[in-house]
Amino acid sequence: MLKKSELKSFLDFKVEQYNTPEFIESDPVQIPHLFSKKEDIEIAGFLTATIAWGNRKSILKNATSLMELMESSPYDFVMNHQDEDLDSLENFVHRTFNGKDLQYFVRSLKNIYSRHQGLEGVFTKYAERDSLQGSIHQFKKVFFEMPHLSRTEKHVSDPMKNSAAKRINMYLRWMIRSDAANVDFGIWNQLNAAQLSCPLDVHSGNTARKLGLLKRKQNDAKALDELDKNLRKLDPKDPVKYDYALFGLGVFEKY
């Protein structure tokens, strides 16, 4: 087991290794990187993160298809679509996320931008000083305030129901965190990296356990809280940067 100073040096080195523009080429973050307008980045990122589970090639293929269905202008499509425009989304499918789910997501996003100051506005309104997990919980309430199929709710995680909310935490990292590598966008200026939590999945979780950063066996909200506390000891201002190290070690190095 590495000493704290040795562990920090090791992980900082791995962050430098993996937090580079080359990371974009094989990661779902490449989809929002297709856009330059803030709202396009936000919506493309949110929808891509929503389907970011399973085979990476399948994620990229389906996320690209999703952008094409929205005429490569996601914000314009969301805000100006007519009901008949949603018919083109009917046959979309990624694992258990289907066309009906996507149609509701588009309607809900329009509601959020029309009535709640957009995605950034919702997360900012409910943010706590050192955490966004309660904000995710409140976001889910806002997101599903319109009539919807109950099955669609499973595609937005809730930390208050003990979910690690991996995909939303990844999305929030994309939107909020900023550094010279420009993998993450840093376009939400009302929030800061110190509030972020690591996108905890099987890869980052297993690596964290091997490094002594996590003892809990399940990858749930309690495990995320434990990992958060330990990563904040290494860097309280930018704890989520270590996601690059944990993910890189797990996926690329089979650590």
Side-chain angles (χ1 to χ4, degrees):
M1 191 67 66
L2 295 171
K3 297 178 182 177
K4 181 181 177 181
S5 60
E6 295 172 332
L7 178 61
K8 177 173 171 55
S9 295
F10 174 65
L11 290 177
D12 284 343
F13 172 75
K14 289 299 177 182
V15 171
E16 294 267 336
Q17 181 178 345
Y18 291 112
N19 182 24
T20 67
E22 289 74 26
F23 182 88
I24 298 170
E25 298 171 7
S26 62
D27 192 80
V29 76
Q30 70 180 256
I31 303 299
H33 269 286
L34 297 171
F35 303 95
S36 56
K37 183 177 180 178
K38 177 179 183 282
E39 292 84 1
D40 282 336
I41 294 169
E42 291 173 341
I43 292 172
F46 179 72
L47 294 174
T48 298
T50 297
I51 65 168
W53 87 100
N55 179 276
R56 299 187 100 198
K57 288 184 178 179
S58 177
I59 294 167
L60 294 174
K61 176 178 177 290
N62 289 331
T64 300
S65 172
L66 206 165
M67 294 302 106
E68 291 170 351
L69 287 170
M70 302 178 80
E71 301 169 1
S72 298
S73 299
Y75 179 66
D76 182 65
F77 186 91
V78 163
M79 298 307 295
N80 298 308
H81 73 270
Q82 303 298 316
D83 287 344
E84 56 268 24
D85 296 323
L86 297 182
D87 293 343
S88 65
L89 310 180
E90 183 78 37
N91 295 322
F92 180 84
V93 62
H94 177 82
R95 297 175 72 95
T96 63
F97 186 86
N98 66 23
K100 293 293 186 185
D101 301 319
L102 178 56
Q103 289 170 338
Y104 179 78
F105 268 55
V106 170
R107 288 194 294 268
S108 181
L109 285 167
K110 182 175 183 178
N111 179 59
I112 282 172
Y113 279 91
S114 300
R115 299 182 57 213
H116 297 282
Q117 290 78 53
L119 287 163
E120 181 181 9
V122 177
F123 283 103
T124 300
K125 179 178 180 180
Y126 297 105
E128 298 170 34
R129 185 178 61 83
D130 59 353
S131 175
L132 295 177
Q133 299 313 289
S135 191
I136 296 173
H137 171 70
Q138 295 296 335
F139 168 76
K140 183 168 185 173
K141 289 184 179 180
V142 172
F143 195 80
F144 289 108
E145 70 181 12
M146 296 164 51
H148 60 277
L149 298 172
S150 59
R151 70 173 308 282
T152 304
E153 292 188 18
K154 67 184 177 183
H155 296 295
V156 179
S157 299
D158 186 351
M160 299 303 115
K161 293 186 177 179
N162 203 30
S163 171
K166 179 254 182 180
R167 285 168 285 158
I168 298 186
N169 281 312
M170 179 180 70
Y171 172 67
L172 293 173
R173 192 201 82 204
W174 292 351
M175 295 300 105
I176 297 166
R177 186 176 180 273
S178 177
D179 69 7
N182 292 321
V183 179
D184 301 313
F185 293 91
I187 56 175
W188 287 6
N189 298 320
Q190 300 177 74
L191 300 166
N192 64 75
Q195 296 168 289
L196 294 170
S197 293
C198 184
L200 177 60
D201 64 8
V202 63
H203 303 292
S204 56
N206 288 343
T207 304
R209 291 180 185 93
K210 290 176 182 176
L211 292 169
L213 292 166
L214 180 60
K215 293 180 180 179
R216 186 171 174 82
K217 294 180 180 180
Q218 300 97 318
N219 291 326
D220 57 13
K222 293 177 182 177
L224 183 65
D225 182 61
E226 179 187 348
L227 180 60
D228 272 353
K229 289 176 180 175
N230 285 322
L231 293 182
R232 278 166 167 73
K233 292 174 184 176
L234 300 178
D235 190 339
K237 292 185 178 180
D238 190 14
V240 79
K241 73 180 183 184
Y242 294 112
D243 179 39
Y244 289 99
L246 297 177
F247 183 81
L249 284 164
V251 172
F252 300 121
E253 300 185 35
K254 311 300 180 187
Y255 183 81

